[in-house]
Amino acid sequence: MTSIVFMGTPQFSAPILTSLIEQNYDVLAVVTQPDRKVGRKHVLTASPVKQVAVAHDILVLQPEKIGGSPEMQKVIDLQPDLIVTAAFGQFLPTKLLKAAKIGAINVHGSLLPKYRGGAPVQYSIINGEKETGITIIYMVKKMDAGDMLAQQAIPITAKDDTGTMFEKLSVVGRDLLLATLPKLIAGELKATPQDDAQVTFSPTIKPEEEQLDFDQTATQLDDQVRGLRPAPIAYAILDGKRTKFWDVTPLDEVVTQAPGQVVRKTKHELVLAAGQQTAIAVNTIQPAGKPKMTITDFLNGAADKFQTGEQVITK
């Protein structure tokens, strides 16, 4: 029986771990991030991966930083055949990578060599890509730069956001890993080096990247809104207030108003001008300090505001 140490943290990783257990791989230990405080009540919560491991009585290791930790030495002492990572969120030292007899592999949420880094799904949507996917690679010290063992693409639809794509990619990653492992273990796979000329990066989203720039087109604004949903959520300064934009719709019409001006307002509709004479309908927003609400509910309290031509988006 092939022994595995699994490393992962979010919900994306949990079905992948579950599948390894169900397929009777010998999961010696699970390494995941420490429990974190979640929600307004700051409840200390185990990661989804830890919850799977605990349910199956698997050893759980939770170093704040894996490099040089007692937990790292524990993994080395276990002498696993494989180390499998999926959205673990930390770099692994070379000494740890070499501890796996067959190899250390990563289930990465992009079509490498595009979108190396910690936010590949978000950037795929924000940049308007029509597809993304899963790449299984050998792990090396350089971020997401290892040779590729398998890859599978799936489309990104106009309705997808980061949340839905993570759900889809988790299933693709699970199935692709299960199909890849027997060939890898049997020595039947030939890894393919990544093309360095095609490399792009997807670093962690910075706070300034959450703000919508209405000089962009309606489609680009929609891509950013969906790429940042369900977290951290895109925002704009609307009517002088920081307002989260949960859902918008690019409209197929040409407008003459300047970006950030009101094109149209009814009881149930707020249309704003964007770049290149495009327009978006605002569907769901969340003003600062208030709950998420439909545009109808928001406009009910707007009185005479948001008249046609009014500049309501500021930087």
Side-chain angles (χ1 to χ4, degrees):
M1 185 183 295
T2 303
S3 61
I4 292 174
V5 169
F6 184 85
M7 300 184 177
T9 297
Q11 184 57 42
F12 167 81
S13 316
I16 299 173
L17 171 59
T18 299
S19 71
L20 293 173
I21 298 167
E22 291 175 345
Q23 293 298 313
N24 294 319
Y25 287 99
D26 183 15
V27 182
L28 302 174
V30 163
V31 186
T32 189
Q33 301 281 10
D35 297 359
R36 305 294 188 195
K37 293 179 180 179
V38 175
R40 291 183 178 180
K41 295 184 177 180
H42 302 288
V43 178
L44 196 62
T45 304
S47 73
V49 163
K50 179 180 177 179
Q51 292 175 39
V52 172
V54 169
H56 291 86
D57 295 320
I58 296 171
L59 173 66
V60 177
L61 305 173
Q62 296 180 270
E64 193 68 50
K65 182 180 179 182
I66 188 70
S69 67
E71 290 87 353
M72 183 179 96
Q73 188 58 51
K74 178 66 175 178
V75 173
I76 293 171
D77 292 343
L78 287 172
Q79 298 183 307
D81 295 316
L82 286 164
I83 292 173
V84 177
T85 71
F88 175 52
Q90 295 186 30
F91 279 107
L92 303 190
T94 301
K95 182 179 180 181
L96 181 57
L97 297 178
K98 290 182 177 179
K101 297 171 187 174
I102 297 173
I105 63 174
N106 179 38
V107 182
H108 183 75
S110 81
L111 298 174
L112 290 170
K114 294 183 74 172
Y115 300 116
R116 294 179 182 176
V121 178
Q122 292 90 331
Y123 278 97
S124 294
I125 297 172
I126 290 170
N127 291 340
E129 301 285 358
K130 300 304 181 185
E131 65 176 9
T132 184
I134 291 289
T135 309
I136 297 177
I137 59 172
Y138 278 121
M139 297 187 72
V140 294
K141 192 170 184 180
K142 189 175 179 182
M143 182 176 62
D144 300 326
D147 292 351
M148 301 181 293
L149 294 164
Q151 188 171 82
Q152 184 174 334
I154 59 170
I156 301 173
T157 74
K159 294 184 180 296
D160 278 317
D161 61 18
T162 291
T164 64
M165 288 312 303
F166 266 123
E167 291 176 5
K168 294 178 182 181
L169 288 169
S170 181
V171 174
V172 174
R174 176 197 69 191
D175 294 348
L176 187 61
L177 179 65
L178 292 182
T180 301
L181 282 179
K183 300 173 188 175
L184 175 63
I185 293 164
E188 298 171 355
L189 277 183
K190 183 179 180 181
T192 304
Q194 295 185 39
D195 181 356
D196 287 342
Q198 301 300 317
V199 171
T200 61
F201 293 96
S202 57
T204 301
I205 300 292
K206 298 176 182 177
E208 57 267 28
E209 293 173 301
E210 298 168 22
Q211 184 169 7
L212 296 168
D213 179 358
F214 273 70
D215 287 334
Q216 291 191 307
T217 67
T219 296
Q220 288 172 320
L221 292 174
D222 178 47
D223 289 341
Q224 186 175 354
V225 168
R226 292 184 297 110
L228 296 178
R229 189 176 70 217
I233 301 299
Y235 76 92
I237 306 302
L238 174 67
D239 191 30
K241 300 178 181 67
R242 179 174 170 135
T243 303
K244 293 182 177 181
F245 281 62
W246 282 82
D247 185 52
V248 300
T249 301
L251 301 179
D252 187 16
E253 56 185 84
V254 177
V255 302
T256 58
Q257 287 83 1
Q261 291 184 353
V262 175
V263 174
R264 189 165 59 253
K265 173 201 173 186
T266 69
K267 287 184 178 180
H268 307 292
E269 183 183 40
L270 179 62
V271 176
L272 303 179
Q276 298 181 30
Q277 295 185 297
T278 61
I280 60 167
V282 182
N283 303 322
T284 309
I285 59 176
Q286 184 177 6
K290 295 185 178 180
K292 181 170 62 171
M293 63 183 72
T294 66
I295 199 62
T296 299
D297 289 340
F298 175 75
L299 292 174
N300 279 340
D304 295 329
K305 295 181 179 180
F306 302 105
Q307 298 302 311
T308 301
E310 183 181 351
Q311 185 73 45
V312 294
I313 298 291
T314 54
K315 296 184 178 180

